[in-house]
Amino acid sequence: MKRKVRPRPKGRTADPQALEDVRALLGDAPRRRDLLIEHLHRINDRYGYLSAAHLAALAEEMRLALAEVYEVATFYHHFEVVKEGEAPPPALTVRVCDSIACDLAGAQSLLQNLAFGKEVRVIAAPCVGRCEVAPCVVVGQNPVGNASVAAVKAAVDQKQLKCPEPEYVDYAQYRKHGGYGLIADCLAGKRTREEITKIMEDSGLRGLGGAGFPAGRKWRIVAAEPEPRLMALNIDEGEPGTFKDRWYLERDPHRFLEGMLVAAWCAGVGEIYIYLRDEYAGCRAVLEKELLKLKKDPPCALPPIHVRRGAGAYICGEESAMIESIEGKRGMPRLRPPYVAQVGLFNRPTLEHNLETVYWVRQIVERGAAWFAGHGRNGRKGLRSFSVSGRVKQPGVHLAPAGITVRELIDEYCGGMLDGHQFYAYLPGGASGGILPAAKGDVPLDFDTLQPYGSFIGSAAVVILSQRDSAAAAAANLMKFFHEESCGKCTPCRVGTAKALALMGESKWNQPLLGELSQAMMDASICGLGQAAPNPALTVMKYFPQEVQ
């Protein structure tokens, strides 16, 4: 018996007006499954929320089950899903970052004192990647740095809702100073893949997104896989304390793009996807504008390059979760093996890189491997971009030798501690890197140097605490972040972060139970979020026992 084929996916029938709205917004854009998040952004941007009627219409237009659309829309923080019968949100949302750097700088006071009429709501938000100007408040898409109640109210009253465009090296300026000469030489046969890859290997450049895998070796691994191969650029730096990728993208976007193209060429990649976090609206405008210039006047043949927009999910900084998101799904990490280099984006071998890793490619090739490897202190090699925030006079991205100590970093690059503040503790690797006391301030900051102390450098996000701060309170702030950002796929992380947060809320921590719970999370969580989430608690119990007993 022949099976009857449904004329449309099973589920709610789309409202004709909603269907007309969705079709108008999508225009000639393809209705492919991997573009679901992009299409949800179009609707959310236009109306400020996602109504049940528009979700049903989008499901029908894309030939998807409504459940598929709904599960994706409700997974991401920046999609405002409004159910039938619910009132839509206010026209404007003001997001107050309450992650570690902003919390130290007074975010809770802002949350208590910012009040507006019915057309404006104020909510707490996870790290927005502007820790150097903490506290930061985002009005619409406009980040207000070093925010005060008066400054935020002025931005609301004057309807300053868009991120201002930064000053940066544009396409013409970059080309004028030799930009894209390297990739042009590569494609013209003046350089070989083996030559460039060997330079990267000799330089010692490692992945600067946190994992630290050698860049040149990764190119070789992917190049050995069968075609077609893809590339995914990870600019979803949601780790509290981290903002270096945004820093470089705002200033010299084409240096990143050329490095990306060289890496893709060396690995034999035929198509590139750039995944940019949604909080970086200003960066997205710059990137899209400059990519258009590059494509209109290419210095050489270019592979297809796509920009995909995140939607507010820290977990998408994990490479396989990012790939799921690029494919238009919930950003849930995959079980490994197989690894992304073998079975990645659209089930093809995928070269995954952090922005800063490829940002250095041109400079290393032009100056030579020895130039990069020649930097370093305390027996370490290379350069590190430290995102420094907290109680220092000059927070920001500081390019310093690998192996520098945090004391040297504070004194030589950050102008010292703020007046009245004494160095008490520090986070050497962002939210997941643990918290070390000032007594460990002479440990070299680099890959593999911090592990003996229960910590790691990760993406080199350094947050400085003073005697006015509590390491235990900082750890609780970080655990709250991990709990809220857990994707929920695995029980050890989903339940463990909630239980750990409750235990850390007590005046006296149940240290044996918290230690047992931490071990279970580290052993059984699927990805790095759950595996690293206990680090702040474990290091506080080890180095700051007076705060939790």
Side-chain angles (χ1 to χ4, degrees):
M1 182 177 176
K2 199 170 183 179
R3 188 177 178 182
K4 186 177 179 181
V5 179
R6 292 181 180 276
R8 59 174 59 87
K10 187 177 180 180
R12 185 189 304 271
T13 302
D15 174 76
Q17 182 58 52
L19 194 57
E20 184 178 327
D21 294 342
V22 168
R23 286 172 176 165
L25 283 173
L26 268 54
D28 297 331
R31 270 55 169 173
R32 298 195 316 269
R33 175 67 177 78
D34 62 288
L35 292 173
L36 174 57
I37 293 174
E38 296 297 306
H39 296 340
L40 286 169
H41 272 303
R42 293 188 185 208
I43 299 170
N44 202 74
D45 288 348
R46 169 63 180 81
Y47 295 100
Y49 61 95
L50 300 169
S51 69
H54 283 139
L55 290 176
L58 182 62
E60 180 165 321
E61 186 66 10
M62 295 188 70
R63 309 288 298 167
L64 296 172
L66 179 56
E68 287 185 83
V69 175
Y70 188 82
E71 72 174 6
V72 172
T74 53
F75 181 84
Y76 295 92
H77 298 319
H78 292 183
F79 290 142
E80 192 74 45
V81 177
V82 176
K83 300 176 183 177
E84 281 190 4
E86 289 183 345
L92 177 61
T93 296
V94 173
R95 290 181 168 85
V96 179
C97 175
D98 67 350
S99 288
I100 183 65
C102 289
D103 191 58
L104 293 174
Q108 295 307 316
S109 175
L110 287 171
L111 281 166
Q112 293 170 9
N113 293 297
L114 282 172
F116 301 94
K118 294 182 179 180
E119 292 302 306
V120 180
R121 65 172 173 172
V122 179
I123 62 174
C127 186
V128 297
R130 295 182 180 272
C131 315
E132 82 280 18
V133 290
C136 187
V137 175
V138 183
V139 179
Q141 290 186 337
N142 178 27
V144 179
N146 302 123
S148 63
V149 171
V152 174
K153 287 188 173 180
V156 171
D157 292 342
Q158 297 168 24
K159 299 190 183 303
Q160 297 170 345
L161 310 182
K162 290 190 176 181
C163 183
E165 185 173 293
E167 292 186 13
Y168 63 92
V169 179
D170 66 10
Y171 184 57
Q173 292 172 301
Y174 187 73
R175 288 291 302 272
K176 183 178 179 181
H177 294 94
Y180 293 106
L182 174 58
I183 184 61
D185 286 349
C186 291
L187 293 178
K190 297 178 182 179
R191 312 296 289 258
T192 67
R193 288 184 168 89
E194 175 61 29
E195 174 194 1
I196 302 296
T197 303
K198 185 68 166 56
I199 290 172
M200 301 312 296
E201 289 175 332
D202 291 345
S203 74
L205 179 68
R206 296 171 64 169
L208 297 172
F213 193 85
R217 192 193 309 172
K218 183 181 282 192
W219 296 2
R220 288 194 189 277
I221 291 171
V222 174
E225 295 294 324
E227 292 182 318
R229 308 176 197 100
L230 304 176
M231 185 176 190
L233 271 299
N234 192 337
I235 321 179
D236 194 65
E237 56 173 3
E239 180 91 357
T242 309
F243 49 91
K244 63 182 178 60
D245 289 349
R246 188 209 86 231
W247 186 278
Y248 286 126
L249 187 56
E250 284 180 338
R251 287 158 175 77
D252 202 352
H254 289 281
R255 188 170 296 272
F256 147 66
L257 291 172
E258 184 171 13
M260 172 191 80
L261 291 170
V262 172
W265 176 76
C266 283
V269 164
E271 195 163 359
I272 298 171
Y273 288 80
I274 301 172
Y275 189 83
L276 179 65
R277 71 181 304 204
D278 196 35
E279 288 85 348
Y280 291 171
C283 288
R284 186 170 65 252
V286 167
L287 187 58
E288 289 175 346
K289 181 166 71 174
E290 294 304 310
L291 265 175
L292 187 60
K293 293 178 183 177
L294 175 63
K295 292 175 180 179
K296 281 187 174 181
D297 180 26
C300 55
L302 300 174
I305 302 171
H306 314 277
V307 177
R308 292 294 173 85
R309 179 178 169 188
Y314 165 70
I315 190 63
C316 291
E318 196 276 339
E319 61 178 9
S320 65
M322 174 191 68
I323 282 171
E324 289 285 297
S325 190
I326 292 174
E327 292 180 356
K329 306 171 188 173
R330 292 176 295 170
M332 289 189 163
R334 298 176 179 177
L335 290 170
R336 291 172 288 186
Y339 295 96
V340 165
Q342 303 162 314
V343 182
L345 187 57
F346 305 120
N347 294 321
R348 300 307 311 165
T350 303
L351 176 63
E352 187 272 345
H353 265 317
N354 167 257
L355 178 146
E356 195 204 348
T357 309
V358 297
Y359 182 89
W360 287 108
V361 168
R362 176 188 166 192
Q363 208 161 351
I364 289 173
V365 173
E366 289 181 345
R367 296 194 178 189
W371 166 78
F372 188 79
H375 292 86
R377 293 186 187 177
N378 299 306
R380 311 306 297 179
K381 294 182 178 180
L383 291 165
R384 294 288 175 270
S385 300
F386 293 95
S387 304
V388 186
S389 59
R391 307 299 194 180
V392 293
K393 290 181 178 178
Q394 297 172 16
V397 171
H398 298 289
L399 185 63
I404 193 173
T405 69
V406 72
R407 290 188 191 278
E408 293 169 336
L409 188 65
I410 293 170
D411 293 340
E412 297 176 30
Y413 290 84
C414 302
M417 298 290 293
L418 288 171
D419 292 338
H421 291 262
Q422 298 170 9
F423 180 36
Y424 174 64
Y426 69 109
L427 286 66
S432 54
I435 304 175
L436 297 179
K440 301 296 182 186
D442 295 318
V443 177
L445 297 175
D446 197 14
F447 298 113
D448 313 319
T449 60
L450 295 158
Q451 280 83 340
Y453 306 96
S455 187
F456 58 82
I457 193 171
S459 58
V462 179
V463 185
I464 306 298
L465 308 184
S466 78
Q467 84 283 7
R468 301 186 187 184
D469 304 313
S470 161
N477 176 282
L478 302 173
M479 187 59 73
K480 172 178 175 287
F481 171 82
F482 289 130
H483 171 56
E484 292 173 348
E485 294 298 322
S486 173
C487 74
K489 184 173 184 176
C490 69
T491 303
C493 178
R494 182 184 67 251
V495 177
T497 52
K499 181 63 175 177
L501 182 60
L503 290 171
M504 294 165 73
E506 301 293 330
S507 57
K508 181 180 179 181
W509 290 7
N510 185 336
Q511 296 188 56
L513 182 57
L514 193 52
E516 184 180 351
L517 176 64
S518 296
Q519 192 62 54
M521 292 172 65
M522 292 187 292
D523 289 344
S525 294
I526 289 174
C527 81
L529 192 157
Q531 294 163 9
N535 286 339
L538 292 173
T539 49
V540 165
M541 289 189 291
K542 182 176 182 179
Y543 296 114
F544 304 91
Q546 73 280 4
E547 291 195 23
V548 296
Q549 291 178 350

